[in-house]
Amino acid sequence: MTQQEIGNAIKERRKKLGVNQQTLADLASVAVNTVVAIERGEGNPQLATLLTILDTLGLQIDINIKQLDYEKV
Amino acid sequence: MTQQEIGNAIKERRKKLGVNQQTLADLASVAVNTVVAIERGEGNPQLATLLTILDTLGLQIDINIKQLDYEKV
DNA sequence: ACTGAAATCGCAATATATTGAGATTATGAC
DNA sequence: GTCATAATCTCAATATATTGCGATTTCAGT
């Protein structure tokens, strides 16, 4: 999962929950600028920042053995 | 998954692969100090740094809906 | 206990994320 | 097209990760 994909996942989840960037930022106690950057894939957030945002959205990170292309679906 | 657990996952995987911190750092093009901090759970690495290290170890990040305690195992 | 390798620590220098405030642009509803 | 809201951008200030080097401690094997 790339930085860009992570940003997209956050954005989709946020929209699904029906909250805007400002509200998410407030709930996660980060600046809205930070949320914007991460969702756009332009950000290179610190792990704590990312985890806080994910947690706020009811999401979590898992670490797995890298999946090879031919294994997908 | 917490910062600490991520550090442990990296450490275990590294040992399983039989490489030391310095070698991992070199392969991932980061400073050994950075690897040390992350593995110890003291670090708050930037996402790019974390992804590079995980990738070097053949690991990847996945984002999932948070698992509730009573759902575990 | 000895030895070599691995892991950890300390610190200053540098790079980069984060923040805050305001301005600008997109987007959707009516 | 208008209006309101959401999203994005700019820029300076601040906080914090990263690096490099050396020193120190820990650890495993003999």
Side-chain angles (χ1 to χ4, degrees):
Chain A
M1 223 177 172
T2 162
Q3 208 136 333
Q4 181 67 257
E5 294 171 325
I6 291 175
N8 291 339
I10 290 176
K11 185 165 202 163
E12 285 180 24
R13 174 69 169 177
R14 175 177 62 78
K15 297 215 157 183
K16 188 165 295 181
L17 296 179
V19 302
N20 63 29
Q21 294 176 325
Q22 184 64 62
T23 301
L24 171 57
D26 291 343
L27 292 174
S29 303
V30 299
V32 65
N33 271 0
T34 303
V35 171
V36 168
I38 294 175
E39 286 192 355
R40 307 212 75 207
E42 293 166 0
N44 181 28
Q46 298 173 188
L47 180 55
T49 302
L50 177 63
L51 290 180
T52 300
I53 292 176
L54 290 176
D55 186 67
T56 301
L57 293 172
L59 298 176
Q60 72 178 182
I61 271 186
D62 291 308
I63 293 185
N64 298 108
I65 306 277
K66 232 192 297 185
Q67 206 183 20
L68 300 176
D69 283 335
Y70 70 85
E71 293 172 338
K72 292 180 184 168
V73 177
Chain B
M1 225 176 169
T2 162
Q3 208 136 334
Q4 181 67 259
E5 294 171 326
I6 292 175
N8 291 340
I10 290 176
K11 186 165 201 161
E12 286 180 23
R13 175 68 169 178
R14 176 176 61 79
K15 296 215 157 182
K16 188 165 293 179
L17 296 180
V19 302
N20 63 28
Q21 294 176 327
Q22 183 63 63
T23 302
L24 170 57
D26 291 344
L27 291 174
S29 301
V30 300
V32 66
N33 273 359
T34 303
V35 171
V36 169
I38 294 176
E39 287 192 354
R40 306 212 75 210
E42 294 166 0
N44 182 26
Q46 297 173 189
L47 180 55
T49 302
L50 178 63
L51 290 180
T52 300
I53 292 175
L54 289 177
D55 186 68
T56 301
L57 292 172
L59 298 176
Q60 72 179 180
I61 270 185
D62 290 309
I63 292 184
N64 298 108
I65 307 277
K66 230 193 295 185
Q67 203 182 20
L68 301 177
D69 283 334
Y70 70 86
E71 293 172 339
K72 292 180 183 170
V73 173

